[in-house]
Amino acid sequence: MDNRDICLEVKDITKIYPGTMALKGVDFSVEKGKVNVLVGENGAGKSTLMKIIAGIEQPTSGEIIFKKNKVSFKNSTEAANLGIGIIHQELSLFPNMTVMQNLFIGREEKSNLFTVNKKSQIEKTKKVLKQLNQSINPNEMIANLRVGKQQIVEIARNVAKEGLEILIMDEPTSSLSVAEVKILFSVIEDLKAKGIGIVYISHRLEELMQIGDNITVLRDGNIVANSKIKDITLDWIVEKMTGLEASNQKKPHDFSSKEEVLKVENLSLYRNGRYIFKDISFSLKKGEILGIYGLLGAGRTEVFEALMGVNLADSGTTWLNGKNMSIKDVATQIKNGFAYVPEDRQREGLIQTLNIKKNLTLSSLLKYVKHIAINKSLENNSADSMIKQLDIKVSNKELPILSLSGGNQQKVVIGKGMLTSPKIYLLDEPSRGIDIGAKYEVYNIIRKLAKSGISVIVISSELKEIIAIANRILVLSNGVLKGNVTGEEINEQNLVALSSVVAKA
């Protein structure tokens, strides 16, 4: 007999899209006051199932039982009215509105029939942000916040809603610092204590083991396993998701005798009365995978942007293959042999209105220009070659880029850079928001790049990830380089300790 307190069930849910059966008779339940973990590779059906529960999509067949009553949702508003909230993997905030406006969009408080009670809304915004230990200004425009802070606002928007019964969290920690993750977990415990059922989706398997109560595994639209978190291991999750045993990653090795391709000395960026990073110096060898680790706000992304010509540094010197390099803009850096995968692939890595082929060839477009026109045959051949090389799962390269799963979108962003024939590849959180199977594929792509002689610099917030793929790791703290870690010194304890050092740039 099942004694669990179930607040929502889906029974025999099937979802058919043209040419695709996304869900195949799925049964799934949400236990009240528990974290119900849902895992599966990209394309397994996780997002489709969550969209059905949240009213964004409607099932082809099957039923939804909410508090023992059969329900159906025509749209997300109907689901929200019953207390079902969702935090999407790709942020759904309005960048041209303030933090406060985003929290209260669609449920504004009125002073009278015609006037919004801004004072009350600001106070309530401050209250929920305080609950999340955040000092974000309620009047700050969303567009002015970095991705991590935007993620906090997305979480706050849902936590602030009254009558919340179920909260779906799709990759809620993908852009959060270690400290912010701890705060989120504390908030989740508070929500559990109030009896709210949490559906939690994440590709960070360690955090699932830490925060989860129950786990359900989806593969190819089918439920393949259910368990209590306390009864399983990380290897169990990987095996159920992929059908493969978890494999060990390669260990770092010595690159001291290799040719130096990049040298950076005293690179500094000063903005708004303070140093974002200061006196950053390092070298990069041919075929080396150099990791950069640090907490959110350490200046990691800004260093990449300076090297790529997105935001020019105020001082410092860089050498490429022993020659002084003048960084002017992105186009010049592409010509210099740099490629860049940004942290936010949706906003900065892809053009969402273009198809898969156009996104792949965008940065290397000049290669296909003959006289005054683009040679479509050359462009098609390049796109086809990259799709095959990276195993991008797509039936037609003319399809919209958003028709791809997150992992395949990331492969497109990586492929776009590869088509420019780079010498140095900068990858900022390359496995953010993709499943464990796709992560292993990205790791292998990075290793193949290095093996081919391309030098790679990788930013990652995941300790196990950066330890697994990097030959050497730089650690930043508050814009200051605190460590250049090699060999046996590369371990979680050292990286955490160095990244937590109090430093002022």
Side-chain angles (χ1 to χ4, degrees):
M1 183 177 178
D2 191 345
N3 295 318
R4 295 181 301 157
D5 190 355
I6 303 298
C7 53
L8 182 140
E9 290 181 275
V10 298
K11 295 184 176 180
D12 199 26
I13 288 288
T14 295
K15 179 63 178 180
I16 300 173
Y17 295 105
T20 304
M21 184 177 285
L23 296 173
K24 307 166 186 176
V26 168
D27 294 333
F28 177 72
S29 60
V30 180
E31 190 173 354
K32 185 177 181 181
K34 301 289 184 182
V35 174
N36 305 272
V37 170
L38 182 65
V39 297
E41 294 192 80
N42 283 332
K46 304 186 303 295
S47 293
T48 300
L49 180 58
M50 292 305 99
K51 286 177 181 177
I52 288 172
I53 293 175
I56 299 166
E57 299 268 5
Q58 288 71 47
T60 304
S61 61
E63 59 184 22
I64 303 173
I65 309 297
F66 181 70
K67 291 186 172 181
K68 300 182 180 180
N69 296 312
K70 186 176 178 179
V71 296
S72 61
F73 305 128
K74 294 179 181 177
N75 51 54
S76 58
T77 301
E78 291 187 358
N81 288 339
L82 285 181
I84 300 174
I86 183 168
I87 299 170
H88 294 278
Q89 177 181 339
E90 304 300 344
L91 302 179
S92 57
L93 301 172
F94 296 91
N96 60 338
M97 300 175 70
T98 67
V99 172
M100 178 269 287
Q101 289 170 330
N102 270 274
L103 257 63
F104 285 90
I105 189 77
R107 57 186 191 91
E108 290 83 359
E109 296 183 356
K110 301 290 184 68
S111 297
N112 53 53
L113 189 60
F114 304 104
T115 307
V116 172
N117 190 338
K118 292 183 179 180
K119 184 178 180 181
S120 173
Q121 290 185 174
I122 286 174
E123 289 304 314
K124 289 183 178 179
T125 300
K126 288 179 178 178
K127 183 178 179 181
V128 72
L129 289 173
K130 185 178 180 181
Q131 183 183 350
L132 294 169
N133 283 356
Q134 296 297 312
S135 58
I136 302 170
N137 185 341
N139 292 312
E140 185 68 73
M141 300 295 288
I142 291 294
N144 295 335
L145 300 178
R146 292 203 69 85
V147 176
K149 294 299 182 184
Q150 291 184 26
Q151 189 101 37
I152 291 288
V153 174
E154 183 85 65
I155 293 164
R157 183 166 68 172
N158 282 274
V159 172
K161 292 177 182 176
E162 296 179 3
L164 189 65
E165 300 276 354
I166 294 171
L167 181 57
I168 300 166
M169 295 183 166
D170 193 351
E171 298 289 348
T173 64
S174 60
S175 299
L176 302 186
S177 67
V178 173
E180 288 167 336
V181 169
K182 289 181 180 178
I183 293 168
L184 174 63
F185 285 179
S186 175
V187 171
I188 288 174
E189 291 299 329
D190 290 341
L191 295 174
K192 285 173 60 178
K194 295 175 183 176
I196 294 169
I198 309 291
V199 181
Y200 197 93
I201 299 173
S202 177
H203 297 112
R204 295 181 175 181
L205 301 187
E206 291 85 0
E207 74 182 26
L208 299 182
M209 300 294 290
Q210 180 182 347
I211 197 68
D213 295 298
N214 312 313
I215 185 167
T216 299
V217 184
L218 266 174
R219 192 198 306 162
D220 298 326
N222 296 291
I223 299 293
V224 295
N226 287 288
S227 182
K228 297 285 187 183
I229 290 286
K230 63 182 178 63
D231 297 330
I232 65 164
T233 63
L234 284 175
D235 288 350
W236 181 93
I237 300 176
V238 174
E239 182 181 348
K240 297 301 181 184
M241 285 174 59
T242 67
L244 303 170
E245 291 186 8
S247 59
N248 293 323
Q249 303 295 329
K250 294 181 179 179
K251 299 294 182 182
H253 55 280
D254 185 18
F255 272 72
S256 58
S257 63
K258 298 292 184 180
E259 173 191 350
E260 184 179 79
V261 294
L262 179 70
K263 186 177 181 180
V264 176
E265 284 194 354
N266 300 321
L267 201 67
S268 300
L269 178 67
Y270 190 83
R271 292 289 185 274
N272 301 319
R274 70 182 185 92
Y275 280 101
I276 306 301
F277 58 82
K278 184 179 182 181
D279 293 335
I280 303 296
S281 300
F282 64 90
S283 64
L284 178 68
K285 301 299 182 72
K286 184 174 182 179
E288 183 182 21
I289 302 173
L290 176 64
I292 298 182
Y293 180 75
L295 304 180
L296 201 69
R300 304 169 306 169
T301 295
E302 289 82 1
V303 169
F304 268 18
E305 290 176 345
L307 291 174
M308 198 63 202
V310 178
N311 289 312
L312 299 182
D314 294 297
S315 60
T317 311
T318 56
W319 286 268
L320 182 64
N321 295 322
K323 297 180 181 179
N324 190 285
M325 178 176 61
S326 177
I327 301 175
K328 298 177 181 177
D329 51 39
V330 174
T332 302
Q333 287 306 88
I334 292 174
K335 290 178 183 177
N336 283 333
F338 282 72
Y340 177 37
V341 171
E343 177 184 6
D344 189 341
R345 64 173 173 268
Q346 289 287 341
R347 292 176 59 191
E348 300 172 0
L350 299 169
I351 305 296
Q352 298 184 23
T353 54
L354 296 181
N355 62 28
I356 296 161
K357 178 185 74 176
K358 292 296 184 184
N359 270 283
L360 272 168
T361 60
L362 189 62
S363 293
S364 55
L365 208 55
L366 288 177
K367 286 185 177 182
Y368 320 116
V369 175
K370 297 297 181 183
H371 304 299
I372 60 171
I374 293 174
N375 186 316
K376 292 185 178 180
S377 177
L378 283 177
E379 185 184 18
N380 284 328
N381 289 341
S382 288
D384 289 339
S385 173
M386 195 52 59
I387 288 169
K388 182 179 180 180
Q389 184 177 340
L390 298 183
D391 191 25
I392 300 172
K393 295 175 177 62
V394 56
S395 58
N396 185 341
K397 62 179 176 291
E398 306 289 344
L399 288 172
I401 188 64
L402 295 183
S403 67
L404 296 181
S405 65
N408 284 299
Q409 286 181 27
Q410 188 72 321
K411 288 182 185 179
V412 169
V413 180
I414 294 171
K416 179 178 68 172
M418 288 173 65
L419 284 174
T420 66
S421 303
K423 300 172 185 174
I424 296 172
Y425 213 137
L426 313 177
L427 297 106
D428 193 348
E429 302 285 6
S431 68
R432 174 180 174 258
I434 61 177
D435 64 58
I436 189 68
K439 280 186 179 184
Y440 285 152
E441 290 184 88
V442 169
Y443 298 162
N444 287 332
I445 290 169
I446 292 171
R447 292 190 184 100
K448 286 178 181 177
L449 288 172
K451 192 174 181 180
S452 72
I454 296 172
S455 302
V456 180
I457 310 180
V458 181
I459 291 173
S460 178
S461 298
E462 295 192 42
L463 283 166
K464 284 184 170 57
E465 172 176 290
I466 201 161
I467 289 170
I469 61 177
N471 305 121
R472 181 165 56 93
I473 300 175
L474 306 178
V475 183
L476 296 183
S477 177
N478 293 327
V480 175
L481 181 60
K482 302 303 296 184
N484 185 347
V485 188
T486 61
E488 295 300 320
E489 294 180 351
I490 297 178
N491 57 60
E492 292 188 27
Q493 292 79 7
N494 280 344
L495 297 184
V496 170
L498 287 168
S499 66
S500 303
V501 171
V502 177
K504 295 197 178 292

